[in-house]
Amino acid sequence: MERDLDNANPTILSVSQLPSRTRKGAATRNGPDSKCHDIVYPQHHWPYGCSSSSDEGEDYREEPMDEQDIYDLISTISDPEHPHTLGQLSVVRLPDIHLSPSPTELSGPDSLVTVLVELTPTINHCSLATVIGLAVRCRLEQTLPPNYRVDVRMKVGSHAQDDQVNKQLGDKERVAAALENDTLQRMVDKMLETCA
Amino acid sequence: MAQFNQWALEYVLSDDEIAQLEIVKKAAKEIESSRASSTVVGNWAASVQQWMTPTHADDDEMEDGDEGGSGNIIARAKALGFLAGTLEALNKSILKSDQVLRLIGFFGAMFSYDHKAGITASAKALRRLYAMKAFKPDMGVKILEDVCKIKEDFRLQTAVTRLEIYELFLSLVQDPAVSSELRLKYGPSSGFVIDLLQLCQNERDPRNLMVWFSILALLLTDFDPSPEVTEEIFKVFSAYFPISLRSSATPIGITAEDLKEAVRGCFSAHQRVASHAFPFLIQKLDQGDAVTVAVKLDILKTIQACIERYENPQANVVPHLGKIWNSLKYEVRNGEVKETIDATLNVLRAIARRLDGTATNKLDVSLLSSYVDLVSRDCRDDLPNPTYTKQAGLLLMTVIGSNIRAYLLYNASFIDTIRQNLRQPKSPAHTKDLLLLLNSVLKTRIELFRDRKQGHPDDVQGLATETRAHLDMLFHDVYLPIWTTKATEPVSEERDVLKQVIQGLALLVSQPVLLADGTLALLCSASICSEICSLLTVTITKGLTLSSNDKQSEDSALEDEAVLALRTIVMNYTDGYAELAARVKAEIKKRNWVSPSEYSLNALKDLLSRFTFIGCSEIPSNIATDMPTQKQPSTLQHFITLTTNLLELFPLSSQATSSEVDTEEGPSANAHVVSSLHASIIWFRDACEAKHGKEALASPFSDDQKWLQEFQQFPEDWPSQIQHGNDGPDSLLSTSQQYGAEVYHRFLKLGLLIVRHLYRSAAFGPPGPWGERALVQLSQMAALVVRSLDEKLQVSCNLAQEAFSFFGRLEEQSVQSRLSGLLAKLLTLGILQGLRPGALEGLYTPGGEAERFMCDTSSFGRSPSRESDIRAAIGAILANKYNGKPPTSDPDSSVMKRVLDFWANWLTEAVAASSAMDPATFHAYNTIAMNVLDGAAARQDKRVLALIPTLHQAAASTHPNGKILAQSLGLIVKENPLLTPANHAHLKRFYKQWAYTHLAKPLLQAAQPAPDKDANAAARYRVAVLSVVSNCPFTVYQDDLDLLIRLLVTALSNRGGDDGNGQSNQQEEEAAWLAHVVAALEVLVEILNHEPAALKEYLREVIGGVTGVYQTCSPIAFISQGGTGSALKVQRGTARATCRSLALRVLGAIPTRFEERHVLAYSLPTQRMLAVACGDPVRKVREVARKARANWAMVVV
C-alpha cells in the first residue's frame, strides 16, 4: 500500500542536538590521560569499609517531575511516516511542554498537575496530526501518575485544521473510541515501540 | 582362471561395497602372490570377458529402453569396476611395464568404444595405472590421447566421473616427465591442449571447475603454448569471469571466493596472457553502473594479482599502464564505496612496487618515474579543488608512499604543491585536507625510514642523501603561520585545522634523518623542537593561567590533541620533557595554593594529569637529537624527571584551610600532587607491560638486592639534587638499562624510593601538608609498588616492619609519629595490602604487631567510623595473610587462635545483659571483629568454626548490640576489595559456600517464625541469615530456597520495629530495618532471575510484602517523620529510595516470570499502586516504576 508521504523531506535533528538533562557530574573530562582518573582522582576519596560513600546519593536525589521528564517520555515516539522520532522531527519540542502548577510550586505529592503538550506537525496539512496526538496522549496516560491531567494540542497556527484536531484530542470519549479501532490501536502501538 | 571368473561374477552380483572390497583384495593378493605372472594377469583381465561383448547390441537395446540392455551395461560397468578395484588394491610395484601399457591400452580404448559403462571405472583404473612404478611418461601421452577421444560424450558423464577424469588430467600435466614428453611430441602448437579445451569447455560443476582451472593455469605456465593456443586458453577461462556460485541447499565445501581465486589464478598464471587479460579486465571495469561492488572488487583484485605475478613488468605491465590508470583513477576520485577505493589503491600501490623492482633487483628508474609522473600530472590539478583535494591526495600518497624510490622522486615537489595550495586555501576545510595530506607525507616518511632495512642498499643510500630543504622549512613556512593566525579563540572549523597542525608538529619533530655513519638523528634542530614544545605547552597550561570567568570552550579536544602530540614529541626529542617540566613547575609555583578555588584545583588536576600522561604513558625511544646531549637518554629519564619535579612541588600548601581541617581531608592541591605520583606509577607500569610484555614484569629479581641500605645512603633532598644536575643517588639512575625486566626493576626501585620518601615526609615531617585524601593516595601507591615486588625483596627490604615504622631511622622510630592514629594506620595499610603472606611471617609472634592490630580495641580518635574501617581493613589483611602452618608445639598457642578467642570473649561480654557498651562503639569494634573473621574465612581457617556458636548466641542476645552483630554477619562473606589475588590474598575458591554452610544454614530453621519460639531470637536469626545470604551468589543458597523464601516473606511483612525510645533510636531502628529489607529484596531479585518457579507458591505474600515495603518506605512517610541534619536526611532518603527501587524491580519482574493465570488476581491493585509510583519524587525510582507498570499492563484483565 504505497502512498505519497505528506512531507517527503522533513528537517531532522540528530540525537545529540535534542535537549537532554545534563548532569552536574557529567562534565568530567575524558581525555587520553583520563584512564586512571577513577583511581587517582576518585569522586569519593575514602575507599574503605562501610563509610565509603557511593554515587547512589546522586542518583537518588528527590527531583519532582519537570518538562524535561515529559519530553523524555514522548520525544522517543516514532513518527508514523518516517523512521525518526517525534523529537528528531521537532514535532515535540521542550519549550512547548507546560506543567501547571510548575514543579517548584507543588504543594503536595497528590496535588493535581496539568500537562499541556503542544505539537508542531512538520507541515500544516499533516493528515496524521491526530494520530500523533493520540500516541502522545496514550504514552503520557500510560506513564504518568493518576494526579496528572494530560492535554495534547496542536500549536496555534501550526496546522490548517488545528481546531478540529484539538477538539478530537480533547474529547475523552472520542479518544476512547479511537483506541477501540484495531487499525488505529496497532498504529499507536507501533509508534510507541521505540519508547524505552 | 576359474577363480578370477568366480570372483568377477561375485563382484558383479554383489551390491555390498564391503564384500566387493574383499573380493578385489583377494584378486589383488592372487596376482601379487604369482608375482604378476603374465598368465595370472591375463586370466584376471579375461575374467570380465563375458560382459564385454557384444557392445553394439547393448547400445541398441539401450536406445530402445530395454530393461535387459541397461542391465548389461550395469553388469559391464561393474565388471570393469572389478578390474579397477583390483588395481586399487594391488601393490604399485608389482605390474610390469608391458602389462601396464597393455592395461592402459585396454582402459583407454573404453573412451573410444564404451561411453556408457566403461568411463568411470576406466578413469579410476587409469589414475591407478599412472601411479604404478612401471608407468612410463610416453604412456601418459597415450592416456591423454585416448581419453580425449570421448569428445562430445564427455559432458554426458556424471559430475563425479568427470571429476575423476579431471584429476587424471591434472596428475598428468603436473608430472614433469609426462609434460616434457608432451612438449617433445607436440611442440609449441600443443595440439593436445586444443583437444582438452574442446573436451572440457562446457564444464559447470564447481568442484570440477576448481580442478579444470588448475589444469588451465598449468597449461599456461608449463607448456609454452603458441600465441594462438594461448588465446584459446584465455578464451576458455575468461568466459567464466566474473564467476559466481548459486547458493545451494547442499553445501559442497567450495565457496564463490574459492572459484574467484581459481579464475584469478588463471589470469595471473603467466605474462603471456597479459595482452589479453588487461584489456579484458579494464573493459569489464569500464561498464559503469552495470558492475556491482562485488564484481568490481573481483576485477580489481584480479588486476592486482596479474600485476604482482607477471614477470618482466616493463614488457607486460607498462604497455597497459595508461589504460589501467585512466580507468582506476575515477574509482577513487569519484568513488563512494570504501572497499572499492581500498582495492583500487592496492592496485596502484602494487604497480609502483612492481616498477621499483625487488630488494635485490632494482628496475630502471625511468619506469617508476614515468608512472609517478602520470599519476601526479592528473592529481596535481585536483589539489586546489576542495571537492577533490582529499581523493587526489590519497591517490598521490598511495603511489609515493609505496616505496622509498617513489617517495624520493616526488615528495619534494608534492610538498611544494601542497604548500602553494595552502597559501590560497578555499576554506578552512580545504586547509584541513591539505594539512592532512602533508601530515600523511610526513607519516609515510617515518614508516619508510622504519622499514628501510628490508629495502635495497640504494634505497638506504637515497634516504641518506635526500634533500631536506623542503622539510626544514615546513615549521616556519607552513605550520607556524597557520597556528599563529588561528590559535587565538578558534571557531569550530578552525579547531579542526589546528588539530591537524598539532598532529603535523608532532610528526615533524619525529622525523628522522640518516647520518653518514648509518645512525639516525632528528631532522629538526633542537631550537625548533624546543619551540614546538613550548607552543604546545602553552596550550595545556592555558587552563591554569585563565580564571573561571574567562570564556572557555567545553570541548577539550584541542588540548587532548596537544597532549598526544607532546607525548610523541618527548619520546623523540627527549630534552623536551625537561623543558615541559620546567614550564609546568613554574606555572604551578606562580600561584598561591593555600586556599585555591575549585576552578584552580580542577585546572591543576588537569595539568598534572596531562603532564604525567605525557611523560609516563610510553617508554621513550632512543633517537638522538642533532645536539650531543651530555647524557645518554635513559628509558627511565622522563619518569625520573616527572617524579622528582612532583616531589619538589610537594607540598604546594603547607597547611589545610579551615574547612579542610574540619573534614581531615587535608589540602587538596597536595593531594593532587600525590595522585599524580600514583598515576605516574600506574602509567609507567602499563607502559612497561605494553612494551616488554607480561613476562618481563614477572621475571625474578636478582638475589643481592639491598635497596633499603642503598636508600639510606641518599641525601634527604635527592629529588632536588637530581633536578639540579647533581648526580646524587646516581647508582639508581645509571642509564644503560634497555632490557624489559631491568627497566621494570629499576622503575620499581625508584617507585619504592618515592614511597619511602613520602612515607618519611608524612610520618616525621610537619603534619600540615598531609591530609586524608593525600594519604589514601599514598597508601594505594605504596600497595601498588609493594605488591609488584617478589617475596625475597619484600623480606630483604623488611617491608613488614616498615609498615609500622614508616621507613624511619633508628633515632626517629623512638619518636612517636606526628600523624594521628587514623592517618598513620592508612600508611600501615598501604604496605600490608601489597605484601605477600611469606613476607609477613615475622609479624605473627605472640603479642606481636599482627596480634596487636587484629585485637585492637584501643579507643578511637576523631572519626570512629573511618578509624574502624581502617583497623578492620588491616585486621582482614593480617588475618588473611596468616600463613596458617600448624605450629610445631601447642596448636592452641597460635596467634590466630588467640585472636579468635579474644574476639569470642569480647563479643560475649559486649552483648551480655550487663554490658554497658553503647551501640555506636560496639558497631565500630564489631566491624573490626567481622573483618578479621572475613580474612580468616577467606582461606577457610578451621579455627573460625569454633567461633560460630558464639556468634549465633551473641546475635540472639536480648541486648541491642546483638542486633548490630546479627546485621553485620554478612561482612564475613562480603566481597572485600583489599583481599584480591593481585594483592596476594589467600582466597579459597568455595569459601563463601563454606561460610554459608556453617554460619547461616544452621539458623534457617531457628529463624522461621513460630508461636512456640523465642520471637526475639528468631527475628535476630532472620537478620543474620539475610545479611549473609545477600552477600552470597545465588548458587550458594539455591538448595535452601524453600526455607529461605519463608524468611523473606516474613522479613517483608514485618514493619520496622518501633521501640519508641526517642528520635535517634527510632532512626537507627529504621536504618536497621531498611538494611534488612534491602537484603531481602536483593535476594528476591536473585531468586527471580535464577529460579522464579520457587516463588510460585508465595506470589500473594511476595506481592503483598513488596507493595507494603514500597508504601512504608514512601517518601511521604519520610517527610512527615522529619530528619535532623541534611547529610543524615540525604542518607535516609537514599536508603528509602533504594528500598523503593528494589521493591519495584521485584514487582516489575513478576509478570515477566510467571504465566498470566498466576498473576491475574493481583493485576488491578498492583497496576493502581504502580501508577501512583510513577509519580515518585526520585527520578530513578520513577523509571523503574514505569517499566514495572508496562510489564503489568501486559497482564490482560
Side-chain angles (χ1 to χ4, degrees):
Chain A
M1 195 181 71
E2 280 291 315
R3 72 176 181 84
D4 290 339
L5 302 178
D6 272 2
N7 182 3
N9 289 309
T11 317
I12 298 152
L13 300 177
S14 75
V15 180
S16 58
Q17 288 172 296
L18 301 181
S20 65
R21 194 178 301 283
T22 43
R23 293 208 163 231
K24 268 198 282 178
T28 48
R29 202 168 54 82
N30 191 18
D33 54 310
S34 309
K35 189 180 82 176
C36 51
H37 274 193
D38 289 347
I39 306 171
V40 297
Y41 304 112
Q43 251 181 339
H44 304 284
H45 75 273
W46 187 258
Y48 310 106
C50 329
S51 46
S52 68
S53 3
S54 64
D55 297 338
E56 284 179 354
E58 287 284 300
D59 291 344
Y60 286 109
R61 270 176 309 185
E62 293 200 0
E63 292 163 312
M65 196 138 20
D66 58 10
E67 286 84 355
Q68 179 71 48
D69 281 300
I70 306 289
Y71 180 84
D72 291 343
L73 287 176
I74 55 177
S75 66
T76 50
I77 299 174
S78 301
D79 183 82
E81 276 189 345
H82 301 284
H84 300 289
T85 62
L86 298 185
Q88 285 175 304
L89 294 169
S90 297
V91 174
V92 174
R93 298 173 347 129
L94 187 60
D96 294 337
I97 297 173
H98 309 280
L99 291 174
S100 68
S102 75
T104 45
E105 298 162 1
L106 273 183
S107 54
D110 290 330
S111 50
L112 211 61
V113 182
T114 307
V115 184
L116 170 62
V117 180
E118 291 182 314
L119 302 176
T120 315
T122 53
I123 40 159
N124 73 348
H125 53 271
C126 180
S127 62
L128 294 162
T130 335
V131 180
I132 295 176
L134 192 63
V136 169
R137 213 192 152 91
C138 279
R139 172 71 178 153
L140 290 178
E141 280 174 358
Q142 284 170 9
T143 50
L144 291 180
N147 58 322
Y148 277 65
R149 297 284 172 266
V150 179
D151 193 0
V152 181
R153 296 161 167 274
M154 295 298 127
K155 198 168 180 181
V156 179
S158 67
H159 197 269
Q161 296 160 321
D162 49 7
D163 279 353
Q164 284 183 33
V165 177
N166 288 345
K167 207 180 263 180
Q168 272 184 314
L169 289 173
D171 187 337
K172 268 188 179 176
E173 283 180 17
R174 285 170 80 172
V175 168
L179 292 175
E180 295 284 310
N181 180 329
D182 278 352
T183 322
L184 263 178
Q185 177 71 59
R186 268 201 300 276
M187 202 164 178
V188 168
D189 286 346
K190 182 98 190 136
M191 289 169 75
L192 298 189
E193 265 175 15
T194 46
C195 297
Chain B
M1 170 84 192
Q3 207 176 12
F4 282 122
N5 283 349
Q6 181 59 32
W7 282 335
L9 186 63
E10 278 175 22
Y11 187 97
V12 169
L13 293 178
S14 166
D15 282 329
D16 179 10
E17 277 183 25
I18 300 166
Q20 287 178 340
L21 198 63
E22 284 304 315
I23 296 167
V24 294
K25 272 185 188 161
K26 275 191 264 177
K29 209 163 182 190
E30 184 66 30
I31 296 172
E32 279 166 16
S33 63
S34 72
R35 298 194 157 271
S37 79
S38 306
T39 330
V40 174
V41 174
N43 286 345
W44 164 72
S47 67
V48 297
Q49 192 59 38
Q50 55 172 316
W51 293 283
M52 290 295 113
T53 49
T55 52
H56 295 296
D58 287 347
D59 289 352
D60 295 344
E61 282 165 21
M62 184 63 187
E63 273 153 27
D64 296 340
D66 191 307
E67 287 276 320
S70 87
N72 285 343
I73 292 173
I74 293 169
R76 202 162 71 227
K78 277 183 151 181
L80 285 168
F82 168 67
L83 295 186
T86 315
L87 285 175
E88 292 260 335
L90 200 63
N91 186 332
K92 278 185 199 169
S93 51
I94 204 86
L95 286 184
K96 295 173 190 92
S97 173
D98 61 316
Q99 289 167 332
V100 173
L101 185 63
R102 234 172 297 145
L103 282 169
I104 286 174
F106 172 74
F107 286 112
M110 291 297 152
F111 288 84
S112 308
Y113 304 117
D114 195 353
H115 297 177
K116 289 198 175 90
I119 304 303
T120 312
S122 301
K124 215 182 267 176
L126 286 173
R127 276 190 72 193
R128 186 67 190 166
L129 287 167
Y130 163 71
M132 292 290 171
K133 211 170 178 184
F135 180 83
K136 296 278 180 314
D138 57 329
M139 298 176 190
V141 178
K142 182 173 165 38
I143 292 179
L144 260 180
E145 287 167 351
D146 282 351
V147 174
C148 283
K149 284 181 187 151
I150 188 172
K151 292 199 171 150
E152 284 298 299
D153 278 359
F154 178 69
R155 61 191 171 87
L156 299 178
Q157 304 299 321
T158 61
V160 183
T161 308
R162 293 203 308 273
L163 181 62
E164 201 68 53
I165 296 170
Y166 282 118
E167 298 277 7
L168 175 66
F169 284 155
L170 184 62
S171 320
L172 291 172
V173 293
Q174 258 174 347
D175 187 324
V178 177
S179 63
S180 95
E181 192 69 30
L182 280 168
R183 272 197 300 273
L184 196 70
K185 179 160 183 193
Y186 289 97
S189 66
S190 310
F192 77 97
V193 175
I194 302 294
D195 288 344
L196 269 185
L197 296 180
Q198 276 173 355
L199 191 70
C200 311
Q201 61 190 345
N202 293 317
E203 186 57 61
R204 295 178 74 85
D205 182 83
R207 254 179 304 210
N208 297 352
L209 278 175
M210 290 298 287
V211 188
W212 178 224
F213 290 141
S214 313
I215 297 171
L216 288 173
L218 277 172
L219 293 179
L220 281 174
T221 48
D222 293 358
F223 287 85
D224 196 13
S226 65
E228 294 76 27
V229 177
T230 305
E231 193 177 346
E232 286 305 314
I233 298 175
F234 178 79
K235 273 184 194 159
V236 170
F237 66 75
S238 64
Y240 290 97
F241 190 87
I243 198 163
S244 59
L245 180 65
R246 248 187 320 222
S247 57
S248 153
T250 50
I252 44 164
I254 289 172
T255 62
E257 207 45 48
D258 296 336
L259 286 170
K260 282 181 187 170
E261 283 286 342
V263 179
R264 204 169 293 152
C266 292
F267 272 94
S268 60
H270 198 275
Q271 55 273 15
R272 59 172 53 95
V273 288
S275 57
H276 306 294
F278 285 123
F280 174 85
L281 292 167
I282 295 296
Q283 183 245 331
K284 287 265 176 198
L285 191 65
D286 287 347
Q287 283 170 350
D289 294 340
V291 191
T292 62
V293 172
V295 171
K296 219 176 237 182
L297 283 177
D298 193 12
I299 299 172
L300 290 167
K301 282 182 183 167
T302 309
I303 296 180
Q304 188 185 346
C306 292
I307 290 167
E308 283 170 351
R309 291 189 51 192
Y310 289 169
E311 280 166 20
N312 191 4
Q314 184 165 9
N316 297 308
V317 178
V318 171
H320 308 284
L321 265 188
K323 269 189 185 167
I324 297 178
W325 165 248
N326 281 333
S327 182
L328 258 57
K329 67 182 173 191
Y330 293 106
E331 293 299 329
V332 177
R333 193 174 184 266
N334 306 72
E336 285 166 357
V337 185
K338 190 177 173 298
E339 284 86 352
T340 39
I341 294 179
D342 287 346
T344 312
L345 295 177
N346 284 341
V347 175
L348 296 176
R349 195 174 296 124
I351 297 176
R353 289 196 176 143
R354 207 73 186 90
L355 296 182
D356 182 42
T358 58
T360 49
N361 179 27
K362 286 273 169 188
L363 298 179
D364 185 49
V365 71
S366 63
L367 297 177
L368 186 62
S369 66
S370 58
Y371 171 59
V372 179
D373 279 345
L374 176 72
V375 174
S376 62
R377 229 184 357 255
D378 280 350
C379 294
R380 210 177 355 208
D381 299 340
D382 270 348
L383 285 180
N385 183 346
T387 322
Y388 297 116
T389 311
K390 232 181 196 170
Q391 291 86 329
L394 196 56
L395 285 167
L396 259 175
M397 273 315 302
T398 307
V399 174
I400 297 175
S402 50
N403 57 61
I404 294 175
R405 211 148 52 146
Y407 170 80
L408 290 172
L409 273 176
Y410 196 70
N411 87 84
S413 91
F414 184 34
I415 289 181
D416 204 42
T417 317
I418 296 176
R419 221 175 49 216
Q420 281 165 14
N421 279 297
L422 273 169
R423 286 199 189 115
Q424 294 135 348
K426 304 287 190 298
S427 62
H430 190 211
T431 314
K432 192 190 91 184
D433 286 346
L434 288 167
L435 282 172
L436 191 71
L437 282 182
L438 187 56
N439 292 351
S440 60
V441 177
L442 294 177
K443 204 166 161 190
T444 307
R445 189 174 178 277
I446 294 177
E447 282 162 8
L448 290 174
F449 263 85
R450 194 188 53 210
D451 301 336
R452 70 186 185 284
K453 285 189 178 139
Q454 282 99 49
H456 195 265
D458 287 357
D459 288 341
V460 182
Q461 187 58 32
L463 284 178
T465 54
E466 75 171 322
T467 52
R468 295 169 203 141
H470 61 288
L471 295 170
D472 288 336
M473 64 205 310
L474 277 180
F475 176 62
H476 285 113
D477 215 31
V478 177
Y479 290 118
L480 190 59
I482 299 178
W483 178 268
T484 35
T485 51
K486 298 202 190 318
T488 46
E489 305 209 357
V491 291
S492 67
E493 275 192 322
E494 289 174 345
R495 292 177 80 84
D496 292 339
V497 173
L498 284 178
K499 270 193 223 169
Q500 291 302 327
V501 173
I502 293 174
Q503 286 176 8
L505 289 176
L507 287 164
L508 195 59
V509 176
S510 316
Q511 289 304 312
V513 286
L514 201 56
L515 299 179
D517 60 354
T519 53
L520 285 179
L522 288 185
L523 169 81
C524 294
S525 65
S527 63
I528 289 186
C529 290
S530 172
E531 201 176 339
I532 290 174
C533 247
S534 68
L535 266 187
L536 296 178
T537 309
V538 172
T539 314
I540 64 164
T541 54
K542 206 162 61 185
L544 204 61
T545 53
L546 298 173
S547 82
S548 54
N549 299 328
D550 287 316
K551 197 180 147 214
Q552 253 194 310
S553 161
E554 284 286 307
D555 180 18
S556 63
L558 214 54
E559 287 83 348
D560 292 341
E561 204 64 63
V563 168
L564 288 172
L566 272 170
R567 179 172 74 156
T568 314
I569 289 171
V570 301
M571 289 307 131
N572 295 297
Y573 170 60
T574 39
D575 291 351
Y577 195 63
E579 293 170 28
L580 170 73
R583 288 288 290 268
V584 167
K585 202 162 75 176
E587 285 295 338
I588 293 175
K589 277 193 166 168
K590 264 191 220 166
R591 260 144 215 88
N592 179 4
W593 294 101
V594 172
S595 54
S597 66
E598 197 186 333
Y599 172 83
S600 303
L601 279 176
N602 276 335
L604 175 73
K605 186 175 98 176
D606 286 348
L607 178 58
L608 286 177
S609 157
R610 286 167 169 157
F611 178 41
T612 310
F613 172 81
I614 293 167
C616 292
S617 60
E618 218 172 286
I619 294 181
S621 58
N622 288 306
I623 196 167
T625 57
D626 62 350
M627 246 177 58
T629 45
Q630 297 91 344
K631 284 188 202 169
Q632 175 79 16
S634 147
T635 36
L636 281 164
Q637 185 179 326
H638 292 346
F639 178 72
I640 294 170
T641 311
L642 171 76
T643 48
T644 49
N645 273 293
L646 288 174
L647 288 174
E648 264 211 313
L649 274 176
F650 189 88
L652 282 174
S653 152
S654 55
Q655 54 191 341
T657 58
S658 55
S659 68
E660 287 163 344
V661 167
D662 286 346
T663 54
E664 285 206 10
E665 278 193 20
S668 304
N670 291 349
H672 286 336
V673 178
V674 182
S675 288
S676 289
L677 282 163
H678 185 189
S680 72
I681 304 264
I682 299 176
W683 276 118
F684 199 86
R685 190 181 185 284
D686 290 356
C688 272
E689 190 175 325
K691 186 163 181 183
H692 303 298
K694 274 204 163 90
E695 301 77 39
L697 271 58
S699 67
F701 292 79
S702 56
D703 280 342
D704 52 341
Q705 306 280 350
K706 294 195 171 53
W707 288 6
L708 273 194
Q709 286 90 319
E710 281 181 52
F711 293 165
Q712 278 163 7
Q713 309 301 319
F714 298 163
E716 280 296 311
D717 60 343
W718 61 269
S720 63
Q721 293 230 9
I722 294 176
Q723 273 301 298
H724 298 111
N726 302 336
D727 281 348
D730 204 33
S731 64
L732 185 69
L733 315 173
S734 59
T735 50
S736 61
Q737 333 88 19
Q738 298 303 336
Y739 300 106
E742 198 185 340
V743 172
Y744 182 62
H745 292 170
R746 292 270 167 164
F747 151 71
L748 286 179
K749 190 170 179 183
L750 259 172
L752 192 64
L753 178 64
I754 295 164
V755 167
R756 177 182 178 271
H757 182 83
L758 290 173
Y759 261 59
R760 289 175 49 76
S761 148
F764 308 111
W770 288 98
E772 208 175 86
R773 195 185 278 264
L775 282 170
V776 168
Q777 282 302 314
L778 174 56
S779 162
Q780 291 184 344
M781 177 163 93
L784 181 60
V785 173
V786 170
R787 77 177 185 215
S788 309
L789 306 177
D790 65 12
E791 190 179 310
K792 259 186 306 182
L793 207 53
Q794 288 183 349
V795 173
S796 80
C797 289
N798 200 19
L799 288 176
Q801 292 303 329
E802 299 296 356
F804 304 96
S805 59
F806 314 132
F807 302 99
R809 297 210 165 89
L810 270 178
E811 66 276 14
E812 287 165 334
Q813 283 173 14
S814 55
V815 184
Q816 184 65 33
S817 158
R818 292 178 205 172
L819 287 175
S820 72
L822 167 66
L823 301 184
K825 287 190 178 80
L826 265 173
L827 294 182
T828 303
L829 175 67
I831 295 183
L832 288 184
Q833 200 180 324
L835 283 177
R836 293 165 193 268
L840 278 165
E841 263 173 22
L843 296 180
Y844 298 99
T845 49
E849 295 284 10
E851 189 176 342
R852 189 164 66 78
F853 268 83
M854 283 193 278
C855 308
D856 191 358
T857 46
S858 57
S859 59
F860 290 112
R862 280 172 58 183
S863 35
S865 68
R866 297 229 154 155
E867 212 164 314
S868 86
D869 285 345
I870 286 294
R871 289 195 204 175
I874 295 176
I877 290 170
L878 287 172
N880 182 259
K881 292 183 180 173
Y882 176 69
N883 215 334
K885 280 179 195 158
T888 45
S889 57
D890 180 12
D892 289 345
S893 68
S894 81
V895 169
M896 210 55 224
K897 171 93 175 78
R898 286 152 56 108
V899 169
L900 293 176
D901 286 349
F902 168 82
W903 283 115
N905 293 335
W906 184 86
L907 283 170
T908 317
E909 280 171 27
V911 298
S914 56
S915 165
M917 188 177 290
D918 69 292
T921 317
F922 176 80
H923 189 276
Y925 288 122
N926 179 55
T927 311
I928 305 173
M930 291 304 130
N931 272 277
V932 168
L933 284 176
D934 174 26
R939 56 181 170 78
Q940 292 191 358
D941 188 332
K942 290 209 173 65
R943 283 166 283 230
V944 173
L945 300 182
L947 191 69
I948 286 177
T950 319
L951 288 177
H952 289 167
Q953 258 172 20
S957 139
T958 49
H959 196 284
N961 286 345
K963 188 166 186 182
I964 296 174
L965 172 68
Q967 274 168 349
S968 65
L969 279 187
L971 286 177
I972 298 176
V973 284
K974 195 177 176 180
E975 219 57 64
N976 189 335
L978 299 174
L979 300 182
T980 57
N983 280 331
H984 315 299
H986 191 169
L987 292 171
K988 281 272 170 71
R989 203 167 157 201
F990 297 111
Y991 87 92
K992 286 195 177 186
Q993 184 80 54
W994 179 80
Y996 167 80
T997 313
H998 295 287
L999 195 60
K1001 202 167 178 168
L1003 299 183
L1004 281 176
Q1005 276 300 351
Q1008 301 297 335
D1012 56 333
K1013 274 189 196 164
D1014 174 4
N1016 177 59
R1020 292 285 174 80
Y1021 288 152
R1022 265 198 304 281
V1023 172
V1025 168
L1026 289 186
S1027 168
V1028 173
V1029 167
S1030 64
N1031 283 304
C1032 290
F1034 177 77
T1035 43
V1036 166
Y1037 53 83
Q1038 69 174 353
D1039 292 341
D1040 303 318
L1041 284 189
D1042 206 35
L1043 284 172
L1044 203 55
I1045 290 169
R1046 276 192 268 161
L1047 286 192
L1048 293 174
V1049 169
T1050 321
L1052 293 181
S1053 48
N1054 279 358
R1055 296 293 165 265
D1058 292 320
D1059 296 348
N1061 300 342
Q1063 197 183 47
S1064 83
N1065 203 352
Q1066 202 178 348
Q1067 282 172 11
E1068 277 163 22
E1069 282 291 334
E1070 185 189 297
W1073 177 74
L1074 282 174
H1076 182 50
V1077 170
V1078 165
L1081 290 171
E1082 279 171 352
V1083 178
L1084 263 180
V1085 170
E1086 283 296 297
I1087 297 177
L1088 273 170
N1089 284 342
H1090 292 95
E1091 212 174 309
L1095 286 171
K1096 202 157 79 183
E1097 304 299 319
Y1098 301 93
L1099 270 185
R1100 190 167 61 89
E1101 291 80 2
V1102 170
I1103 293 175
V1106 168
T1107 312
V1109 166
Y1110 180 82
Q1111 277 151 0
T1112 317
C1113 294
S1114 66
I1116 305 124
F1118 165 58
I1119 292 163
S1120 67
Q1121 279 176 23
T1124 50
S1126 66
L1128 195 63
K1129 194 170 164 183
V1130 169
Q1131 211 179 352
R1132 289 181 65 200
T1134 304
R1136 281 174 161 254
T1138 314
C1139 217
R1140 290 202 300 279
S1141 168
L1142 273 171
L1144 292 176
R1145 251 179 85 187
V1146 171
L1147 211 50
I1150 286 174
T1152 62
R1153 304 284 194 279
F1154 297 96
E1155 286 174 34
E1156 208 169 271
R1157 62 197 166 99
H1158 296 301
V1159 291
L1160 198 59
Y1162 319 104
S1163 173
L1164 273 180
T1166 311
Q1167 287 197 46
R1168 267 200 298 275
M1169 173 241 157
L1170 288 172
V1172 177
C1174 283
D1176 196 281
V1178 176
R1179 183 165 292 118
K1180 215 170 164 185
V1181 179
R1182 288 201 288 270
E1183 278 167 22
V1184 185
R1186 272 201 294 275
K1187 272 185 201 138
R1189 189 177 175 185
N1191 288 347
W1192 277 93
M1194 307 272 185
V1195 181
V1196 183
V1197 182

